[in-house]
Amino acid sequence: MLEKASTMKKFPWHIFLLPIFFVWHILNDHFALIPFSYWGRFVLYFIALALFFFLIGKLLLKNMVKAGCWCTGFLIIFFFWGSAHDFLKSLHPISFILSYKFLLPLILILLITFFVVLRKKSIPYRMSGFLTLLFSLFLLIEASTSIYKFINKEHLKNDLAYYSAPVSITKAADSQKPDIFFIVFDEYASTPALKKYLSYDNSALDSLLLKKNFFVATNSKSNYDITPVSIASTFNLQYFNVPLEGIKSTRADLLKYQQSLKKSLIPQFLTKEGYTIINHGICDLPYAPAPHEPYFNRFINGALYGETLWGRIRKEIAWNLPAGIWDWSFMETGEKQDDGIEINSTNFNAILKELQSQSEKPKFVYGHLMLPHTPYYVDKFGKKRKLSILDIGLFNDSLYIDQLIYTNTLLNSLAQAGNMNFPRPRVIILEGDHGNRRLNLPKNLIARDRQFMNLNSYYFSDKDYTSLYKSISPVNSFRVVLNKYFHAELPLLKDSTILLLE
């Protein structure tokens, strides 16, 4: 019994403490933004990784304490590679020293050297005990940080509206409540923007919308140039009282923007007014989760492993490998293409069906299609493109126009369905959440207006558009709707733009 207790005491618990500490540290950096389904899975992944290298070490070193120390040495490099590499870059040493051609062989040499030293030396009980104590202390610090952040209401501050005064909206008579459709085509630029920056004449779409009794705000500009913060601002009827101009958005920022949409005002207000909230979009709304995995949840995986050695290798050098070696990653992109096409198709058909019907209760329908935004998954006929490694994730004006031409066929169907006659009034807003962006350029080369000049079109079933104007921006869209149908008497805000960077 005493021998068993001694063995338990000498076990290298640090091989488990380090992965838990790493994930907990990321959770504190993204406090209350990462669901358990994500971080719980990564804890298991990383512990499995630790066990794998521990068992290899035990097999070769014939001692679990030595194996644990060698395993933790590898895990320290694996988990903190991104931070260490960035620190080296900040010192501006010779570029060759920063290259993976130099660093990866160096890491291998260091691990082999550490292995040889452990094999020749006596059992490093003190080193193992120190590592267990060290990572236990780090876990205590992370626990204290979590408690502090909760007391300081950091989870509430993930909603950017936390910093702004709430908008007060009055109540309307039931007979005036319209069905409301808010349909977003991601990165759909306005006709003037397409003419100016892409030399493409899209005036036929404006003519179609006018023919179908829509109002086209030809001089509209979105208020923000990143999707979740743009729509969250629209749904909150205000600019966020947070300094965002010129800020480079981190993964945590993008998740906060998405959280701000999840907590937004319009769906909550309309729910209290007896509306059914229907979500055929890409992000969760209050009382109405997205029909598919929320789009910006993709940044969670990057947060949990993007700064690890493997994450950085995939990001920084995998694309540079020969195509045959690249295939495993490119196959994953092909699966994403199929998923992206399916999600757009499913959302469009659901939105169209909602436009073609009316129920007893008024409804608010949020629709969102990732078109004509990258990636360029379809051609101008809506057919699946054969992807090339060279165009994955890159901007391409010609491919953007192809997807825009296909998107116009969808807009045509929605505009026709929008004109159907129903007893209850209806409001339809068709918009691009921002313009055709080029944020991959240096800031001084970015054409500012290009990021914001967006499609923005409205349909009111009574055809009275006296409250609208050609340069209306999305922050005022629902202010106009609430004033017209709910007698809210909300003042219109100045139409301004806030440039964020990705």
Side-chain angles (χ1 to χ4, degrees), residues 18 21 24 80 133-143:
L18 174 51
F21 157 71
W24 203 334
F80 303 108
L133 180 62
L134 177 66
F135 290 111
S136 296
L137 178 61
F138 285 170
L139 281 174
L140 182 62
I141 292 172
E142 294 302 331

Side-chain angles (χ1 to χ4, degrees), residues 202-244:
N202 200 41
S203 58
L205 176 71
D206 291 359
S207 298
L208 167 71
L209 292 173
L210 292 171
K211 185 178 179 181
K212 297 298 181 181
N213 300 307
F214 279 73
F215 175 91
V216 180
T218 51
N219 298 325
S220 174
K221 295 178 184 177
S222 65
N223 307 107
Y224 298 88
D225 58 330
I226 291 182
T227 299
V229 69
S230 174
I231 301 175
S233 169
T234 302
F235 282 2
N236 279 292
L237 292 77
Q238 61 182 316
Y239 300 96
F240 294 117
N241 189 25
V242 180
L244 295 176

Side-chain angles (χ1 to χ4, degrees), residues 333-372:
T333 301
E335 293 172 2
K336 289 180 179 178
Q337 180 186 21
D338 292 336
D339 290 343
I341 293 173
E342 175 63 24
I343 289 172
N344 278 332
S345 176
T346 301
N347 283 353
F348 170 74
N349 289 329
I351 296 164
L352 185 61
K353 185 177 180 180
E354 293 295 342
L355 278 168
Q356 294 170 336
S357 65
Q358 193 169 88
S359 54
E360 291 185 10
K361 290 177 62 177
K363 62 186 177 183
F364 172 76
V365 179
Y366 164 52
H368 196 131
L369 304 183
M370 289 304 296
L371 288 169

Side-chain angles (χ1 to χ4, degrees), residues 32-172:
L33 290 170
I34 301 180
F36 171 77
S37 59
Y38 283 86
W39 66 259
R41 185 170 71 248
F42 271 89
V43 167
L44 294 178
Y45 287 166
F46 292 147
I47 287 178
L49 179 69
L51 276 173
F52 175 75
F53 280 93
F54 171 70
L55 292 174
I56 290 177
K58 190 172 185 297
L59 180 66
L60 298 175
L61 292 167
K62 310 300 182 183
N63 180 272
M64 66 180 183
V65 176
K66 290 184 178 183
C69 291
W70 181 78
C71 174
T72 294
F74 165 77
L75 291 176
I76 288 172
I77 295 172
F78 179 82
F79 285 128
F80 303 108
W81 169 257
S83 299
H85 198 205
D86 289 343
F87 174 72
L88 288 175
K89 290 177 182 177
S90 70
L91 299 178
H92 302 291
I94 301 172
S95 58
F96 176 73
I97 296 176
L98 296 175
S99 70
Y100 283 86
K101 292 179 181 178
F102 174 78
L103 290 174
L104 290 181
L106 177 62
I107 290 172
L108 182 60
I109 291 170
L110 289 174
L111 288 173
I112 292 174
T113 302
F114 187 37
F115 177 86
V116 172
V117 170
L118 285 171
R119 188 168 186 176
K120 290 183 177 180
K121 295 292 184 180
S122 58
I123 300 174
Y125 290 116
R126 294 183 66 181
M127 178 189 292
S128 183
F130 170 76
L131 290 171
T132 297
L133 180 62
L134 177 66
F135 290 111
S136 296
L137 178 61
F138 285 170
L139 281 174
L140 182 62
I141 292 172
E142 294 302 331
S144 301
T145 301
S146 295
I147 293 171
Y148 170 79
K149 285 178 175 286
F150 182 78
I151 293 173
N152 200 38
K153 299 181 179 179
E154 293 296 325
H155 54 298
L156 300 179
K157 297 176 184 177
N158 288 333
D159 179 2
L160 299 185
Y162 175 87
Y163 300 94
S164 306
V167 178
S168 178
I169 308 172
T170 56
K171 187 175 181 179

